[in-house]
Amino acid sequence: MTALLLSCLILVALYALYIAARVARIGAAPETFLDAGGTLPGWSVIFLLPGLAMTALGVERHLGLVARFGLQASHVAVGIVLLAMAALLIWNRLWFAARIAGLGSPGAALGQFYGSITLRIAVLILALLFALPFAADVLSFAAALLETATQGLLPRAAGAWLLAIALTIPAIVGGWRGTVLTLAMLSLSLLALLPGVTVLTELTAAERGFPVMPIVVADGILWDRLPGVVRYIGGVGKHVPQEGIFTAVAVSSSALALLGLVLSPPALYLGQTLRAGRSFGVASVWLTGGLTAGLVVLCGPVLAGRLSGGVPALAAALHEAEPLAGTALFLLLLLPVLLAVSFLVTGGALIWTRELVVAYLFPGLAPEAQRFAARVAIAFTFFFMAFMASFLPLTSAVLASVALPLSVQLLPALLGLAFFRWIGRGAVLAGLTLGCLIVVFTEPLGLILFEGLFVDLPWGRWPLGIHSAAWGLVFNLLLVLLSATVTQRAPDRFQRDRLHDALLAATGLRVGGRGLLWALALLWGFFAYGPGAILGNTFFSDPIFAPGPAAALGVPSLWVWQILFWLLGVVLVWWLAYRLGFGRTSEDRIKPITLGEAPGLRVPDWLAAGVARVTGRGTLPAGPVEAPRRRAARR
Amino acid sequence: MASQDMTDRLDRHALVMAIWTPAVFAAAALLHRGVLVGGAWWIAAGFAALLLAFAGHVIANTVLGTGFTPGETALGLAVFAAALGALLLSALVGPDGIGADVYLALGLGFAALVVAVVAYLVIAHGPRRAFEKFDVIRDNNARRASRLPHRGGRR
């Protein structure tokens, strides 16, 4: 299996190099190296968004959790529909903002829209978090898996460096376009591998698996149901409930954390650099909300049920039946990692080049020099990432744990840019600061630091089983709402109104006044992965409206519930994409504007004059108060 | 400097590669399994993967308003001929009994590929124009007058 697996990985590397070389040979303008000229083909995001969704979920981690906790862990997969909705809504608006106001990168979009350097820096820090520790953490896992698969032939550190080099060279040669075109193929391969490996496993297995047989878990774990709505217990590290950790609120908060990847700076950048068309709709409705979520909901438990002996044991069994099937299992676990590393590191390095080097350090940089700077940035970022993956795996893991939840804290800022003009800079910054603090102190990073320096904190990771992303976002949104009420007439409102008016003119989309849609969306969320999901435990096996147990379905009730709400979720995303029109982008009605500094508040003349008279100093306004004096002087 | 046309062609090429790469991997695994265990259904699934990729390629062509490039046509024909030749050679000169269980399934699979290509040509171009694509004798008159409409409008 070693030779076959390594051959496949070498073929993937050669494929990436081939595409990158083809991109380089068309002789495009040097500056397009950084952003593909804003003309990435629509099909690239159609294929790539499912891969990003699977990366956010973490195929290996998800299968491992389902193998350990059963269907309660598998319920998180319904959150992929939520991810598709978020990508659809935010990417669409950001795409228009990029074309209307020339806000070509996420930092520029948020920084210029809110007139805040802090937000630019926040985006850069997030991009760095994803490019270094997050990517290093997943690469470290991939290298460890490769070591296992090759029976020690390729040690973990060597594997990490080899994989990093294989991804670095195509990125340096092909830039953003080359990277995205290659990753689209990897993502499509993932969509083929997940059902393929599942079907092959079932067809070649000697014994029947899930759903005929239950998923084998430890004693006491409720494998076929959610263990309640919420547990009033400390977080991970303090107390792990015997029935399992995936309560309804744990599921909903984990689903919320999935949004971190589509709200990450490289993912937003991907949305901004696409060509106009219908790709957002196809990507979010059919490929991500439909196919990917369905595949993970359907195939996840089936495949996880075979993983009780671990990945190497299943791969060996598959290899015995068909050598390429064993390799396919390892590829299923390795390809999302390669996708994440290549996407996040290349995207992060390009964003840093645009936001820092080109915008601030060397503003007049020639296009060729910009491309060179981007190549150097990519090389250095890959080097440091591989260094962290090889020699600092623990540090990477601790830092990586905050990347997704911190990214989710950008949501209010993005909502303000996309939909709610009443969210101002002060509100966003206050909420972001509080949200980030709460995330850090409900993740290992803050807990280790604080408990090492001072005293033990009473809560562990994810208190009450609620993901840190949700803890941060709740307080973040609360503070944003409170702050927004008192900053309605802030000086930056003028610029925000201009962009929102231009957005409305370009898209013709009004999100308000759709009461039925938003009510249905909330209702769906409540039942799909919110507290209402608890009803799914017995809804189809022991209905509450029937006198006794229903006829045996042959499958767990919770699994049917998940499938049902996945399908209903697809309808919702379809509504957003096609009925409301978020699935389409067009440059036809765009009227470009230039966002500038907001004019300061003008002090009312009567107030200024009054203050001047009382204090006897200061300048009187050159308005009606000044005019009689000038007339007197002329006389 | 690259024109938009060159970029579009590159994007289309990458799309075609993205469609065929996973399909070829899946087909290789399924056909290998089929040949190993002599299972006709495995072989059918392998050819189905190839047909699915072909359908994807045709859809990509339709959406992008393009057709099969000469390189793609040549590569497809060469691979098909090589695979068919290998099958025939193994039947003729291989040891007795080799692959006896799978010849029928493989033969039907190859036939299905041919039928799919012919069906595509007929649907996309119509029977007459599909035939004209192979009608080299009709095009052997190099005189310009042969292209005039009242002389048949050749080429």
Side-chain angles (χ1 to χ4, degrees):
Chain A
M1 183 151 49
T2 301
L4 210 49
L5 178 62
L6 292 181
S7 304
C8 286
L9 289 176
I10 289 169
L11 283 176
V12 169
L14 288 176
Y15 180 95
L17 200 56
Y18 169 73
I19 294 289
R22 290 290 301 259
V23 171
R25 283 185 61 189
I26 61 171
E31 60 270 24
T32 61
F33 183 87
L34 280 83
D35 61 358
T39 58
L40 281 175
W43 64 265
S44 61
V45 80
I46 289 173
F47 291 163
L48 191 47
L49 185 57
L52 291 179
M54 289 169 85
T55 302
L57 196 64
V59 177
E60 190 272 345
R61 190 186 55 198
H62 180 70
L63 291 178
L65 285 172
V66 178
R68 188 175 165 195
F69 294 106
L71 288 177
Q72 55 173 284
S74 179
H75 206 99
V76 179
V78 183
I80 291 179
V81 179
L82 187 69
L83 179 145
M85 280 185 198
L88 179 72
L89 297 175
I90 301 291
W91 289 10
N92 174 288
R93 285 301 174 117
L94 216 54
W95 186 93
F96 276 105
R99 299 303 185 281
I100 290 171
L103 309 174
S105 65
L110 290 176
Q112 214 166 325
F113 177 70
Y114 289 107
S116 165
I117 298 292
T118 312
L119 277 173
R120 277 181 184 261
I121 294 171
V123 169
L124 282 180
I125 291 172
L126 264 181
L128 195 68
L129 263 180
F130 276 104
L132 291 182
F134 189 86
D137 185 42
V138 291
L139 184 66
S140 176
F141 153 74
L145 186 65
L146 206 54
E147 185 178 10
T148 309
T150 57
Q151 284 128 21
L153 180 71
L154 207 60
R156 194 185 63 82
W161 282 101
L162 279 177
L163 290 175
I165 290 168
L167 297 173
T168 309
I169 297 171
I172 288 176
V173 174
W176 188 232
R177 182 182 292 277
T179 303
V180 170
L181 294 186
T182 302
L183 297 186
M185 185 281 286
L186 293 188
S187 183
L188 190 61
S189 301
L190 273 177
L191 284 181
L193 281 172
L194 181 56
V197 170
T198 308
V199 171
L200 275 172
T201 306
E202 291 306 305
L203 288 177
T204 55
E207 299 163 357
R208 321 265 324 246
F210 181 82
V212 177
M213 304 296 288
I215 299 173
V216 181
V217 294
D219 286 343
I221 290 179
L222 303 174
W223 73 274
D224 61 347
R225 59 189 62 206
L226 299 174
V229 174
V230 64
R231 293 285 165 119
Y232 298 101
I233 51 169
V236 178
K238 298 293 177 188
H239 178 73
V240 177
Q242 198 183 7
E243 305 83 10
I245 57 174
F246 287 95
T247 56
V249 290
V251 167
S252 55
S253 59
S254 300
L256 195 66
L258 295 182
L259 303 192
L261 202 68
V262 289
L263 303 182
S264 68
L268 297 175
Y269 191 53
L270 172 71
Q272 287 176 298
T273 49
L274 274 180
R275 196 178 291 173
R278 298 174 181 274
S279 49
F280 285 144
V282 181
S284 55
V285 180
W286 306 118
L287 267 289
T288 308
L291 188 61
T292 310
L295 285 178
V296 179
V297 166
L298 292 171
C299 299
V302 179
L303 195 54
R306 300 285 183 188
L307 282 174
S308 52
V311 172
L314 179 60
L318 280 172
H319 181 76
E320 205 170 318
E322 163 53 41
L324 277 172
T327 308
L329 177 63
F330 277 118
L331 286 178
L332 175 65
L333 304 180
L334 285 172
L335 289 189
V337 173
L338 300 185
L339 192 150
V341 170
S342 181
F343 181 74
L344 296 173
V345 174
T346 308
L350 292 176
I351 288 171
W352 268 78
T353 309
R354 279 187 69 137
E355 297 275 325
L356 188 68
V357 178
V358 177
Y360 287 104
L361 295 183
F362 304 105
L365 210 58
E368 289 83 2
Q370 286 183 24
R371 182 172 61 189
F372 179 70
R375 284 179 165 156
V376 171
I378 289 171
F380 270 102
T381 315
F382 265 109
F383 173 79
F384 285 118
M385 187 274 303
F387 183 85
M388 289 183 77
S390 309
F391 306 116
L392 303 168
L394 187 62
T395 312
S396 304
V398 170
L399 288 171
S401 65
V402 294
L404 283 176
L406 283 184
S407 184
V408 173
Q409 305 314 309
L410 279 183
L411 187 62
L414 290 165
L415 287 177
L417 192 156
F419 301 109
F420 306 121
R421 58 180 78 196
W422 42 265
I423 296 180
R425 176 178 55 208
V428 163
L429 289 176
L432 185 67
T433 308
L434 183 65
C436 289
L437 276 174
I438 289 174
V439 164
V440 168
F441 282 100
T442 48
E443 286 286 353
L445 175 63
L447 293 172
I448 291 171
L449 280 177
F450 196 87
E451 292 180 357
L453 290 172
F454 304 110
V455 292
D456 274 7
L457 293 168
W459 61 85
R461 186 186 192 192
W462 305 353
L464 309 183
I466 300 172
H467 198 288
S468 58
W471 277 113
L473 190 64
V474 165
F475 286 97
N476 183 346
L477 280 174
L478 208 61
L479 195 53
V480 165
L481 290 175
L482 285 174
S483 307
T485 54
V486 294
T487 55
Q488 285 293 297
R489 298 177 63 80
D492 58 335
R493 175 70 189 248
F494 171 68
Q495 296 296 338
R496 286 186 269 131
D497 281 344
R498 283 183 66 212
L499 183 66
H500 278 278
D501 291 341
L503 273 173
L504 187 61
T507 61
L509 289 174
R510 282 187 185 276
V511 288
R514 307 271 179 179
L516 176 63
L517 172 66
W518 300 122
L520 281 176
L522 284 175
L523 205 62
W524 172 80
F526 181 82
F527 285 112
Y529 50 79
I534 197 79
L535 294 174
N537 280 348
T538 54
F539 191 84
F540 296 103
S541 57
D542 188 9
I544 52 177
F545 302 113
L553 279 171
V555 294
S557 169
L558 187 61
W559 202 38
V560 181
W561 186 269
Q562 289 166 5
I563 294 168
L564 178 70
F565 277 91
W566 153 57
L567 291 172
L568 291 175
V570 177
V571 176
L572 268 180
V573 192
W574 173 84
W575 195 336
L576 289 172
Y578 294 107
R579 294 300 297 274
L580 257 66
F582 281 102
R584 194 178 69 87
T585 50
S586 164
E587 297 189 16
D588 293 345
R589 293 194 294 173
I590 286 179
K591 288 182 181 168
I593 61 169
T594 306
L595 287 180
E597 289 298 318
L601 268 183
R602 187 166 182 266
V603 181
D605 294 342
W606 62 269
L607 186 59
V611 171
R613 281 194 191 98
V614 170
T615 59
R617 58 174 187 238
T619 320
L620 286 171
V625 179
E626 193 71 11
R629 290 186 182 178
R630 281 200 297 266
R631 279 196 296 274
R634 277 201 298 273
R635 280 199 297 272
Chain B
M1 205 59 68
S3 63
Q4 187 58 42
D5 185 46
M6 288 172 73
T7 310
D8 288 345
R9 269 189 286 165
L10 171 70
D11 290 344
R12 180 195 168 278
H13 180 61
L15 171 59
V16 169
M17 295 275 289
I19 289 171
W20 277 101
T21 305
V24 167
F25 181 84
L30 292 165
L31 290 174
H32 188 245
R33 168 85 181 159
V35 171
L36 273 186
V37 302
W41 288 110
W42 290 105
I43 292 173
F47 278 104
L50 293 178
L51 287 173
L52 210 61
F54 180 71
H57 197 153
V58 171
I59 291 170
N61 278 343
T62 309
V63 171
L64 299 174
T66 58
F68 289 95
T69 64
E72 289 164 1
T73 312
L75 183 65
L77 284 174
V79 171
F80 183 80
L84 203 58
L87 181 70
L88 291 175
L89 274 179
S90 66
L92 290 174
V93 301
D96 289 342
I98 177 176
D101 300 338
V102 295
Y103 279 138
L104 183 62
L106 286 173
L108 284 174
F110 282 119
L113 291 183
V114 173
V115 168
V117 172
V118 171
Y120 158 72
L121 286 171
V122 171
I123 292 168
H125 305 292
R128 176 188 285 267
R129 289 192 58 210
F131 177 72
E132 281 175 0
K133 285 196 172 288
F134 300 95
D135 187 13
V136 290
I137 299 171
R138 186 179 169 86
D139 287 344
N140 69 351
N141 190 344
R143 287 179 301 158
R144 292 181 66 186
S146 68
R147 300 178 194 173
L148 294 170
H150 66 275
R151 295 199 176 180
R154 294 167 183 166
R155 301 191 186 182

